């Protein structure tokens, strides 16, 4: 699980172009959207694509992402339970 | 169209150099555009984190506009009545190609939403408008070459018909390694007459 969390942090920083945020600055329970990392709606769509591309998880309803993308902790748990690759 | 208006300032970004009113404000030779524009952003204290999420054309247009508008001492808390009239040749082709590449292979079909949103050239106008609270008219024209006459006529018309107080206009071209930005601000008062000769003169500065 720790490896997955680290991988997610690295992917989020790189794929969402978070130039001002270092991987080590992201805590497992930090809120990803809103006042947390400040991700926006396009970032949410990018994360949905990342779930599909990297872990074979298809979210048919983007609203599902609201709960899944709460934090690295929640996201890693969801991926480990649903991944197909 | 007569020349009742003025060019109050102009900014250009080309050959890894950013100039404002003909004076160099940033230069970093021998690096690729992506590194150059990022280094310029940091050096010029631009302070707009969303910059890093933009495509190359928007970064180019945004930074040119920012260098110019920062010098105008606008009130960033209030709406500013400045229209935007931009033009270029390649439209958003640079980003269109990236998007096309991501959907070429049916076996590896993962288009990026963050890339797709920039597959229109006028998105760069939105980025500038958000930062400077510009809610006036805006247009983005595609021409084979820099068209001073059209920019002159269109911006003069916007001012003459009371659509706006000022017009930020010019050329923001980017395709691969080739880029060229030239923006200028047209106002109702000033000393440098807004005419085709001056528009072209500053473009070639």
């Amino acid at each position: 699980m720790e490896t997955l969390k680290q991988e997610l942090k690295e992917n989020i920083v790189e794929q969402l172009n978070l130039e001002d945020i270092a991987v080590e600055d992201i805590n497992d329970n930090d809120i990803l959207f809103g006042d947390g990392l400040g991700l926006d709606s396009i970032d949410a769509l990018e994360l949905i694509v990342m779930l599909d591309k990297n872990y074979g998880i298809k979210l048919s309803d983007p609203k599902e992402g609201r709960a899944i993308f709460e934090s690295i902790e929640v996201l890693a748990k969801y991926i480990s339970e649903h991944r197909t690759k | 169209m007569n020349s009742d208006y003025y060019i109050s300032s102009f900014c250009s970004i080309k050959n890894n150099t950013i100039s404002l009113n003909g004076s160099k404000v940033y230069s970093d030779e021998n690096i690729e555009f992506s590194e150059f524009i990022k280094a310029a952003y940091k050096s010029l204290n631009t302070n707009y984190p969303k910059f890093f999420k933009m495509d190359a054309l928007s970064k180019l247009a945004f930074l040119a506009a920012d260098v110019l508008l920062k010098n105008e001492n606008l009130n960033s808390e209030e709406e500013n009545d400045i229209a935007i009239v931009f033009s270029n040749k390649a439209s958003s082709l640079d980003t269109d190609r990236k998007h096309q590449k991501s959907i070429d292979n049916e076996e590896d079909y993962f288009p990026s939403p963050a890339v797709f949103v920039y597959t229109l050239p006028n998105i760069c106008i939105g980025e500038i408008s958000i930062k400077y609270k510009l809610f006036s008219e805006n247009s983005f024209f595609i021409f084979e070459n820099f068209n001073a006459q059209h920019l002159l006529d269109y911006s003069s018309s916007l001012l003459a018909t009371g659509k706006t107080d000022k017009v930020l206009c010019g050329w923001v071209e980017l395709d691969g390694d080739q880029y060229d930005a030239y923006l200028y601000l047209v106002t109702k008062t000033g000393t440098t007459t807004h005419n085709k000769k001056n528009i072209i003169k500053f473009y070639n500065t």
Side-chain angles (χ1 to χ4, degrees), chain B residues 98-106 108-112:
Chain B
K98 284 182 187 150
H99 177 63
Q100 179 64 46
K101 200 174 170 186
S102 73
I103 59 173
D104 269 349
N105 184 356
E106 283 185 22
D108 186 30
Y109 189 92
F110 295 105
S112 160

Side-chain angles (χ1 to χ4, degrees), chain A residues 8 12 26-33 65-78:
Chain A
L8 285 171
I12 284 174
I26 305 175
N27 295 312
D28 293 351
N29 290 305
D30 281 350
I31 301 298
L32 298 182
F33 288 82
R66 189 171 295 179
I68 298 164
F69 300 143
E70 182 183 314
S71 65
I72 293 292
E73 183 76 39
V74 174
L75 181 56
K77 184 170 184 296
Y78 183 86

Side-chain angles (χ1 to χ4, degrees), chain B residues 61-121:
Chain B
F62 181 89
L63 203 60
D66 195 65
V67 167
L68 192 154
L69 293 176
K70 232 173 355 196
N71 198 46
E72 294 296 312
N73 297 315
L74 302 177
N75 184 344
S76 60
E77 300 302 315
E78 292 179 3
E79 180 179 340
N80 291 292
D81 192 7
I82 301 175
I84 298 182
V85 181
F86 284 177
S87 57
N88 77 1
K89 178 181 179 180
S91 184
S92 57
L93 198 56
D94 190 68
T95 298
D96 297 349
R97 287 197 193 94
K98 284 182 187 150
H99 177 63
Q100 179 64 46
K101 200 174 170 186
S102 73
I103 59 173
D104 269 349
N105 184 356
E106 283 185 22
E107 304 301 315
D108 186 30
Y109 189 92
F110 295 105
S112 160
V115 171
F116 179 73
V117 294
Y118 288 101
T119 55
L120 282 172

Side-chain angles (χ1 to χ4, degrees), chain B residues 21-56:
Chain B
N21 300 323
S23 299
K24 185 164 71 176
V25 295
Y26 182 80
S27 184
D28 193 348
E29 294 178 10
N30 302 320
I31 55 173
E32 289 183 358
F33 174 78
S34 60
E35 293 304 313
F36 163 75
I37 204 76
K38 199 189 293 184
Y41 165 92
K42 289 176 178 170
S43 172
L44 297 168
N45 298 316
T46 312
N47 192 27
Y48 192 72
K50 204 182 167 219
F51 178 83
F52 299 109
K53 294 173 181 282
M54 297 178 195
D55 74 340

Side-chain angles (χ1 to χ4, degrees), chain A residues 16-20 39-40 42-43 45-46 49 52-53 85, chain B residues 38 41-42 49-50 52-53 108 110-115 117:
Chain A
L16 304 186
N17 293 308
L18 304 180
E19 186 80 15
D20 294 336
L39 305 187
D40 60 22
I42 298 297
D43 294 324
L45 295 175
E46 280 293 321
V49 173
D52 187 5
K53 187 175 181 178
K85 64 178 180 183
Chain B
K38 199 189 293 184
Y41 165 92
K42 289 176 178 170
K50 204 182 167 219
F52 299 109
K53 294 173 181 282
D108 186 30
F110 295 105
S112 160
V115 171
V117 294

Side-chain angles (χ1 to χ4, degrees), chain B residues 156-179:
Chain B
S156 296
S157 172
L158 287 174
L159 290 161
T161 54
K163 298 277 189 190
T164 187
D165 276 346
K166 300 174 183 176
V167 185
L168 175 66
C169 53
W171 177 258
V172 281
E173 168 71 358
L174 185 140
D175 192 6
D177 296 335
Q178 304 298 312
Y179 66 92

